[in-house]
Amino acid sequence: VLVAAQLTAVALIWRFSWHGVNDRWLLVLVGAQALFVASVITVTGGGSSPYLAFYAPVLAIAGWHLRSAHAAIAVAIVVTTELWRTLVAPVQSDLTQLAVSLPAFALLALLARLTADRLTQAVVLNRRDQVRTAASLEAVRQLGDPHASASVADDAALAADVFGGHASIQAWGDPADRAPVHSCPEPGGRDHLQVAIRSSGATHGALRLCRAEPFSASERRLAAILADAIGRAMEQRLMAARVRADPDRDPMTGLFGRHVLEADLERLIEKARATDGELAIFLLDVDEFRRYNDEQGRDRGDAALQRIARSLIAGVRPGDRVYRYGGDAFAVLAAGLEPPMVAAMGERLRSAIPEHPARFGHRLPGDLSASLGSATCQGESCSSSALIERARHAMDLDRADRLS
């Protein structure tokens, strides 16, 4: 009869939809299981029955699936049921066995509850880290867009949205970017995180985050990545401010323009004639840059030109000057450069383009290459028009030689 009743209950439970049932009603199932086990124990030997072990899976499942308070009630149901059984059937009772087994079963329910809590926390933390990672990548993309972030306040608001708390930035370097570090609105019991904002080896400020729940190790790494992106955005804004303040510079790359090149060339030629010194000019043109813009988009094209400009500045000697000669063309003036050093300088400037696939007879999407030409003169032989024409001719020969 008991087995038939149990099978009937299992069938009803299997067919019943429990999704809309309140957790408290699940205690009815625990109570039914406790009564079933108590009945089996009674008809099979009382306190000495081996079926007392059936309480272990019942309480383990209750501790795993129910809330902490409900799991405690489930333990109380089993204890009450067993005490009731021993009082109803005193001849078959074994209080010694109950004193040992029931605390062990309660401990089993507690361990199941703690394990379930830890696993739930791990799943929630993993999911939160995934959301934070996606939000951080989107924030880095927005910070890379020169039109998306206009000030330190925008950067701080972006960081606050990513980490779901309060964010502030202390910036130093450019007065227009300075902002005080505000304390958290509710400092008591909140977790704080401060990350240095760096870019190009320089520290531009500090990003400060605070919220009620603690920051995970993954979130701390993401905060460092976001701080680096904020640093690059600050650096771009600083460069743009300097360019706007200097009408002789190209607004996008920050390099001097063609008219400054022409004026500097005339000045250096006069100096070379007066001192019988050497003068070299290098022209570098990005191959098929219009196609690159069409395939990759204008934003990536502008970013590529900015990257090339920074690499050219890093590749010249102190005192040499880099210019934006045209849309995708650059020029470098180097005074006092001896002829044996011209070729080495040219290769160093060419390395501003990281890939040269055209040398190997193929080109991949997103790859860039450059044609380079140079010309030198000394003393009275220097002429601005002749120098530029010779450099252009050498650049055309370089392009034809590599692309053939």
Side-chain angles (χ1 to χ4, degrees), residues 244-262:
R244 286 193 297 268
D246 189 351
D248 292 333
R249 292 185 179 270
D250 172 58
M252 187 179 68
T253 62
L255 300 177
F256 290 105
R258 184 168 180 173
H259 65 288
V260 179
L261 166 66
E262 294 171 350

Side-chain angles (χ1 to χ4, degrees), residues 3 76 114 124 127 149 153 158 191-192 202 214-215 234 242 270-271 279 307 344 349 360 384:
V3 171
L114 294 177
V124 171
R127 178 55 182 164
S149 176
L158 196 60
D191 193 25
H192 299 256
F215 292 93
M234 285 183 174
R242 290 174 178 172
E270 291 180 4
K271 183 177 180 180
L279 179 62
R307 185 172 62 252
L349 295 177
F360 305 101
S384 60

